[in-house]
Amino acid sequence: MVYNAEKEPMYPGIYPGQEEQKDHQLVPATVITVPPKYEPPQYVPPAPDHLLWSLFNFGCLNFCCLGFVALVYSVKARDRKVVGDVDGSRHYGSTARSFNIAATVLSIIVGSIYIVLRLIPLFLQN
C-alpha cells in the first residue's frame, strides 16, 4: 500500500472513540517530573590513621611512651573513620603522625648515641 499525502490528511480531526472537547471541560493530563541530572558523590580519600607505624613504634621504638600515645591516637582515628567523622579522623591521624615522628626520631637519636658511646671504649683500648 502506497501512502499518498494528498489523498489522506495528516490529522483527520477527531479519532475514533474520542469525543469533541468543549472549552469549559477539563482535559485529563499526566505530569511527569524529571529529576535533575545524576551526579555521583565526590570521592573523599580516607584519612590515614598510621596504625601500623604506631604499632611498630609501640613495639620497637617506644621512647618515653611516645609509641603508646601514638597508638592511642591511631586507634581513635580509626574509630572516627568507622563512625564517618572525616574531620575528627583527620585530626587524630595527624596527631598520631606527629607522635610517631617524634618517637622515631628520638629513638634513632638515642640509639645512635648509645651505639657511639658503646663503641668509643672499644676504639680507645687499641
Side-chain angles (χ1 to χ4, degrees):
M1 179 174 168
V2 178
Y3 177 75
N4 191 351
E6 293 176 7
K7 291 182 181 177
E8 298 178 26
M10 294 291 281
Y11 176 69
I14 299 172
Y15 294 107
Q18 182 183 20
E19 300 174 5
E20 272 194 50
Q21 300 289 328
K22 296 182 182 173
D23 290 338
H24 65 278
Q25 289 181 339
L26 296 177
V27 178
T30 302
V31 177
I32 299 174
T33 305
V34 179
K37 182 181 175 185
Y38 173 74
E39 294 182 18
Q42 296 294 326
Y43 174 72
V44 178
D49 53 13
H50 306 289
L51 186 63
L52 292 177
W53 190 10
S54 298
L55 284 171
F56 175 75
N57 281 338
F58 177 66
C60 300
L61 306 173
N62 199 11
F63 181 77
C64 292
C65 294
L66 289 176
F68 176 71
V69 175
L71 181 63
V72 169
Y73 277 101
S74 293
V75 171
K76 283 184 177 186
R78 175 75 50 104
D79 290 343
R80 292 285 97 199
K81 188 189 316 184
V82 169
V83 171
D85 182 12
V86 177
D87 292 332
S89 175
R90 201 167 278 141
H91 171 71
Y92 284 126
S94 173
T95 306
R97 184 185 65 216
S98 300
F99 280 117
N100 280 324
I101 290 171
T104 303
V105 169
L106 290 174
S107 296
I108 289 173
I109 290 172
V110 169
S112 300
I113 291 172
Y114 176 76
I115 291 172
V116 168
L117 290 177
R118 292 293 287 179
L119 291 178
I120 288 177
L122 292 175
F123 289 121
L124 292 178
Q125 284 180 352
N126 296 335

